[in-house]
Amino acid sequence: MERRSFLKMSAALSAAATVTGCNSSSKDVEEVAPSTPVKEEAINWSACLVNCGSNCPIKVFSKDGVITRIETDHETDDVYGVNQQARACLRGRSLRQRNYAVDRLRTPMKRVGARGEAKFVAISWEQAYSEIGAKLKSIKETYGPEAIYMHYGTGAFYGFASNTATWGRLLNLNGGAVHYHWDYSWAQVYAACMATYGDQGASSGGSSLSEIANSDLFVGFGFNPNEIRMSGSGEGYDFINSLAQNKKGIKVYMVEPRYTDSMRGNENKWMAIRPGTDAALIEAVIYQMINSGWVDQNAKAFLDTYVVGYDRASLEKAKAAVTLSSDSFIASHAAYINPDDNYHDYIMGQGIYAAQGARTPAWAAAICGISEASINQLADDIMAAESPYISAGAGISRHANGDQATRAVYTLAIMTGKIGRAGVNTGAIPTSYSFSVASMPTLEDLSEVKVSIPVFTWSDAIVRGKDFTGRTDCVRYKTSGSNELSDNNDAALGTNLKAVINCAGNTLINQHAQSNHTAEILKDESLCELIVVCDCWMTASAKFADYLLPDTTWLESDDYANDSYASGQLAYATFMSTSLEPLGDAKSMYDICAGIAASWGKEADFTEGKTGQEWCEELYAQTKANNPDVDMPSTYTEAQQQGVFRKYMPSSFIALKSFVDAPDSNPLPTVSGKIEIYSLSLARKAATWEISAGDKITPLPQYVVTWDGYEDEATKAKYPFQLSGYHTKGRVHSSYHNVAWLREAVEDALWMNPLDATANGFTDGDSVYVYNDRGTIQVNLKVTPRVTPGVVALGQGAWYKPSPDGKVGPSGHIVDIGGCINTLTKFHPTPIAKGNPQHTNRVQIVRV
């Protein structure tokens, strides 16, 4: 229904209510009363399950199986820190529009045109089960299970009938499939954390945001929870409440190319940095800390006790200790430790770094665009702070040098010498509390596949996966876990990918890099022989399917979900029920996978004789047992009636406190057992890995000049603007893009500083082409001082849509009129994590 029609209908209904309700005559009221009783609305609890990190509860009202309205959580008296409401943002509140979007998939379909043309014919579920099942078995028998890839998708990532649980279980009945490690958002965060603190889990294990109340300084690099974690239970709400509770006169610095809603007057200073230059700024701050004598006087004892790599002596000591390790893999790292390559000398321009020179504020200012005076002031405030809370958002990691930028933030926190104290953070993403829920076993022990690949490399693995190894493409043994204490160098994929299962995700084309290039790979049926898409809507990725399988929406499902991974300090679980019938012939992913399993004669192995409801009952019992501190009813059915269960973080968390209090008893899972500014694992990788020309792996966190970065002279003249993506409030990645009302509320426009607009003859609202060698997109221009000069910013997640009339843009490609930023991003996996560098771009802009 069009918005105009909806408004007309709403006005008509309002008028009718006025005529009926305002007349005082009971006779008149009786005359318009319906002849049959009005059916009451059914009320069910559901949840918004996209990948924002909160999974907000949703109350669904319906009549005769049709949604009438949506409400969010207002079940408590909303006392922050006790029983606050997990209120959904505008996205969750638009779920009625999304559920009934015109592009809902309603029947199984099979491709009849070329991939990407979106030409399909309807088929029966039986045909879909039979043909997909036969093709999966054939590919497994011909190429091995490693040729089947279960793709990254976060549009239904949680609950009993999630993509990972159902399809993972199904594929393991066929010998398994290649899975990914890491993700598009945090791959380089994980790599940075593993190098510095040992385990990737510590990347989101920073001090609680409540510790800001105990801090006298906050420094956030790309830290923007009020736009990406907007729930009433989310980190954005925790952030503003913690600032409000602070009694120490806290100063707030925000380092970001774009003035965000997380600032909005909360900050003392916005440091409008150029994208990809955070490490340069940090190195200049640390130079001031060392050069002033502050480190020697205030932090050296901490560095000597807990840290490897600050100076030559610490590396000599680490080399001697590692040499004596009884673990041969740990001991092997000693050969790659170079005491001359220490952080003090790197920053001060001494020893082997004498020719480079010191990393002074004057040097950094020319790169990052922040004045020497501002850099000096930040350094002074960090040195003066008793309890500095420093944190890196994940956005700074999604650059060509993203792991280095993230490690630099960690190093800044380390150099204060105050980690482990109240009000202090490690530089990592804050810890969130979570409500533990049980999940359906995926039968992983049946899988014959021993390795995984970095999530960002899947399209390259279609082309040359047979050459993927640990040394070349970061293939990892699945048993190696989440740290660097196992040797993955010899891991190998051994085959090109021949089948892609894409469920509840738009990363197949839309959220992946260099969309035009990726489309060409997907169109080649000799490379990838099978693409199955299971989703609710005709997304940009769905158009590249061989088979389209319509999933039920969350509002049409009996299921459950916890609070996800970034809901802050309130944990909750929602036990979902429905009074809706699935649109068309849509089925849950559990039922879909059971049907494919039946085509193999393995339905009983998949279902274990249980319906979806029976699985939920069984898993609810486990969940109840795992949460004895919550008063939960006896059965899943009773829990569905109450809907939401919540609990608050019992105490504030201070990151690495246990390690600092007793380092010998609580060693870190790094090679040395200590915090590593100089990463021993990266020293080994730098010496033994094969990396692309122009890429660099360094044991120390270092600012590096990259392709398409601010200092890339090869592209600067042709493409003068740095383009950076960001998360908009109208979408979660690409989810919700098909809700027109959200696109109206949150405009998809390219942000440009007024200085740049004036210099280039642009005005607000201009329709422009944004282009580079990889493609052209068409968007409207928003002129605003909220973005750094020389930088343009565009919200990510708009759906890729090549012009249907074949209109060619300045790049020589068909214009993407959908405005997908990834039409312009480069497929160039990062050196260490082989992760996503999609905020590193240079572009030119012309008026349409």
Side-chain angles (χ1 to χ4, degrees):
M1 178 182 295
E2 293 183 354
R3 180 175 180 274
R4 182 182 304 167
S5 300
F6 178 86
L7 293 174
K8 286 181 178 179
M9 183 185 74
S10 299
L13 291 174
S14 299
T18 302
V19 169
T20 303
C22 292
N23 193 315
S24 61
S25 167
S26 60
K27 181 174 182 287
D28 289 341
V29 173
E30 290 171 2
E31 287 177 352
V32 297
S35 57
T36 58
V38 177
K39 187 175 182 181
E40 292 186 0
E41 288 178 310
I43 304 174
N44 296 87
W45 280 102
S46 190
C48 176
L49 302 182
V50 289
N51 182 21
C52 73
S54 287
N55 285 358
C56 292
I58 295 293
K59 189 179 286 187
V60 182
F61 294 78
S62 64
K63 284 185 180 181
D64 297 321
V66 177
I67 302 170
T68 54
R69 56 194 170 102
I70 295 287
E71 290 186 2
T72 185
D73 176 26
H74 50 78
E75 298 300 294
T76 68
D77 52 7
D78 197 26
V79 178
Y80 177 75
V82 179
N83 59 356
Q84 72 207 56
Q85 296 168 5
R87 300 180 193 171
C89 72
L90 71 169
R91 298 178 297 234
R93 295 166 192 258
S94 74
L95 273 169
R96 180 176 180 273
Q97 284 73 33
R98 191 175 190 235
N99 198 84
Y100 297 135
V102 295
D103 56 358
R104 269 294 299 270
L105 301 177
R106 300 175 182 232
T107 186
M109 291 186 282
K110 181 178 181 178
R111 175 175 61 86
V112 293
R115 281 200 190 133
E117 286 186 330
K119 294 180 179 178
F120 300 93
V121 295
I123 59 175
S124 67
W125 277 113
E126 289 69 24
Q127 182 180 348
Y129 298 152
S130 175
E131 292 184 8
I132 293 170
K135 190 63 176 176
L136 286 172
K137 286 191 71 69
S138 173
I139 289 173
K140 188 255 185 177
E141 291 166 359
T142 304
Y143 305 103
E146 294 83 2
I148 301 170
Y149 176 64
M150 175 67 187
H151 197 20
Y152 176 77
T154 60
F157 206 46
Y158 313 94
F160 152 70
S162 71
N163 50 354
T164 52
T166 55
W167 284 89
R169 184 177 175 91
L170 171 71
L171 292 171
N172 283 331
L173 289 173
N174 191 43
V178 169
H179 289 266
Y180 54 82
H181 51 260
W182 305 323
D183 53 54
Y184 277 70
S185 296
W186 290 5
Q188 293 194 86
V189 176
Y190 296 141
C193 198
M194 292 161 79
T196 308
Y197 297 124
D199 193 277
Q200 71 180 55
S203 63
S204 55
S207 296
S208 305
L209 281 171
S210 58
E211 284 301 314
I212 291 174
N214 301 317
S215 180
D216 52 355
L217 178 68
F218 180 87
V219 186
F221 294 84
F223 183 85
N224 185 21
N226 290 92
E227 288 185 9
I228 62 174
R229 316 286 192 212
M230 296 188 296
S231 165
S233 74
E235 292 173 346
Y237 195 39
D238 285 339
F239 179 55
I240 59 175
N241 274 282
S242 295
L243 288 176
Q245 293 169 6
N246 184 277
K247 305 301 182 185
K248 294 190 171 185
I250 189 170
K251 276 189 175 181
V252 176
Y253 282 82
M254 294 294 232
V255 185
E256 178 89 43
R258 193 176 62 94
Y259 189 89
T260 72
D261 283 10
S262 294
M263 300 181 207
R264 57 181 186 173
N266 289 320
E267 81 290 351
N268 294 84
K269 189 171 184 63
W270 170 35
M271 304 189 85
I273 196 168
R274 292 176 178 133
T277 65
D278 301 79
L281 167 64
I282 290 167
E283 289 173 9
V285 169
I286 292 175
Y287 170 86
Q288 291 294 92
M289 295 168 68
I290 297 173
N291 192 54
S292 65
W294 187 91
V295 169
D296 281 343
Q297 296 172 20
N298 297 277
K300 188 63 162 57
F302 178 90
L303 297 172
D304 288 345
T305 303
Y306 301 103
V307 180
V308 167
Y310 172 65
D311 56 17
R312 180 183 178 87
S314 75
L315 285 172
E316 289 175 338
K317 185 178 178 181
K319 186 166 186 172
V322 169
T323 301
L324 298 176
S325 175
S326 59
D327 184 315
S328 60
F329 177 65
I330 298 295
S332 72
H333 288 75
Y336 307 108
I337 300 173
N338 178 9
D340 290 334
D341 190 12
N342 61 78
Y343 195 64
H344 173 276
D345 288 358
Y346 167 70
I347 293 294
M348 302 307 293
Q350 298 175 5
I352 64 173
Y353 291 103
Q356 165 193 279
R359 310 308 249 186
T360 65
W363 163 80
I367 297 168
C368 67
I370 296 171
S371 70
E372 290 183 59
S374 293
I375 295 173
N376 289 333
Q377 185 61 59
L378 174 59
D380 289 345
D381 284 344
I382 289 174
M383 289 186 282
E386 294 181 0
S387 307
Y389 192 110
I390 298 170
S391 185
I396 68 167
S397 78
R398 293 189 287 271
H399 284 268
N401 64 341
D403 62 302
Q404 299 284 35
T406 305
R407 290 177 67 202
V409 177
Y410 295 168
T411 303
L412 179 60
I414 294 162
M415 293 296 296
T416 68
K418 295 182 169 72
I419 285 176
R421 302 184 190 178
V424 179
N425 187 33
T426 58
I429 295 166
T431 290
S432 281
Y433 196 39
S434 187
F435 197 113
S436 173
V437 294
S439 57
M440 183 173 62
T442 58
L443 308 178
E444 183 62 29
D445 58 322
L446 299 180
S447 176
E448 302 165 21
V449 180
K450 306 303 181 186
V451 298
S452 63
I453 63 174
V455 66
F456 189 62
T457 65
W458 65 272
S459 62
D460 201 23
I462 291 175
V463 178
R464 57 172 201 89
K466 65 181 184 302
D467 299 324
F468 273 31
T469 69
R471 285 182 174 87
T472 61
D473 296 277
C474 197
V475 179
R476 290 175 67 86
Y477 294 111
K478 290 195 291 188
T479 56
S480 63
S482 57
N483 56 49
E484 297 287 32
L485 300 182
S486 299
D487 189 357
N488 286 289
N489 269 4
D490 293 333
L493 180 57
T495 181
N496 294 349
L497 300 183
K498 293 294 183 180
V500 176
I501 309 299
N502 184 84
C503 301
N506 202 6
T507 311
L508 191 65
I509 186 71
N510 207 84
Q511 300 305 101
H512 194 50
Q514 208 165 336
S515 299
N516 290 326
H517 172 66
T518 303
E520 293 307 311
I521 293 173
L522 295 176
K523 289 175 183 177
D524 190 339
E525 297 177 45
S526 69
L527 292 176
C528 187
E529 298 179 7
L530 175 66
I531 298 176
V532 177
V533 171
C534 182
D535 212 319
C536 302
W537 301 275
M538 183 63 81
T539 65
S541 293
K543 294 177 181 180
F544 286 82
D546 296 319
Y547 292 90
L548 272 174
L549 307 179
D551 182 24
T552 52
T553 66
W554 319 311
L555 307 190
E556 297 165 350
S557 302
D558 289 286
D559 209 326
Y560 59 86
N562 74 349
D563 45 84
S564 192
Y565 60 88
S567 61
Q569 293 159 193
L570 174 67
Y572 50 90
T574 306
F575 294 90
M576 303 152 55
S577 62
T578 187
S579 295
L580 311 180
E581 288 296 325
L583 284 191
D585 203 14
K587 293 182 182 292
S588 74
M589 280 192 276
Y590 177 76
D591 289 336
I592 292 170
C593 290
I596 297 173
S599 76
W600 298 334
K602 296 184 177 182
E603 181 179 12
D605 296 313
F606 181 84
T607 66
E608 297 183 16
K610 303 183 188 78
T611 64
Q613 182 78 12
E614 289 168 339
W615 268 110
C616 286
E617 290 281 4
E618 180 177 309
L619 296 170
Y620 172 77
Q622 296 176 28
T623 298
K624 176 177 166 61
N626 292 340
N627 294 276
D629 54 334
V630 181
D631 183 16
M632 301 175 69
S634 300
T635 67
Y636 169 68
T637 302
E638 292 173 295
Q640 287 177 299
Q641 293 170 0
Q642 180 171 331
V644 185
F645 298 82
R646 69 195 83 208
K647 55 183 176 179
Y648 199 77
M649 183 180 283
S651 61
S652 188
F653 175 74
I654 301 172
L656 290 191
K657 186 178 187 302
S658 61
F659 168 68
V660 171
D661 288 348
D664 293 333
S665 302
N666 301 293
L668 300 181
T670 56
V671 174
S672 67
K674 296 185 176 184
I675 298 168
E676 294 185 2
I677 294 178
Y678 180 101
S679 170
L680 308 191
S681 66
L682 292 186
R684 184 176 186 270
K685 288 179 178 179
T688 60
W689 277 23
E690 302 169 28
I691 59 175
S692 301
D695 286 345
K696 190 175 183 180
I697 297 177
T698 62
L700 294 174
Q702 297 181 358
Y703 168 73
V704 293
V705 177
T706 70
W707 50 267
D708 275 18
Y710 173 71
E711 296 189 90
D712 182 14
E713 297 299 330
T715 57
K716 183 177 289 190
K718 188 175 181 181
Y719 301 118
F721 291 98
Q722 285 187 273
L723 169 64
S724 186
Y726 64 91
H727 294 277
T728 85
K729 293 182 290 185
R731 286 187 295 268
V732 179
H733 304 306
S734 73
S735 296
Y736 285 100
H737 179 73
N738 57 339
V739 179
W741 294 4
L742 289 176
R743 296 204 306 276
E744 180 179 342
V746 185
E747 181 187 14
D748 283 318
L750 184 76
W751 288 22
M752 177 182 283
N753 188 276
L755 296 174
D756 293 322
T758 299
N760 291 275
F762 294 121
T763 58
D764 189 74
D766 280 349
S767 179
V768 295
Y769 289 137
V770 188
Y771 69 95
N772 57 24
D773 289 345
R774 298 179 282 275
T776 301
I777 65 173
Q778 182 176 341
V779 293
N780 290 335
L781 193 69
K782 179 181 178 65
V783 178
T784 172
R786 290 179 59 178
V787 66
T788 306
V791 177
V792 289
L794 181 64
Q796 60 94 16
W799 288 5
Y800 173 71
K801 185 178 181 181
S803 174
D805 61 6
K807 179 171 59 176
V808 175
S811 68
H813 300 82
I814 295 177
V815 176
D816 173 13
I817 60 174
C820 177
I821 192 173
N822 292 323
T823 301
L824 307 173
T825 62
K826 185 178 183 182
F827 179 78
H828 186 138
T830 57
I832 299 168
K834 309 305 178 188
N836 163 19
Q838 288 169 254
H839 289 334
T840 298
N841 306 286
R842 279 197 166 275
V843 297
Q844 180 57 285
I845 304 165
V846 296
R847 188 180 285 105
V848 173

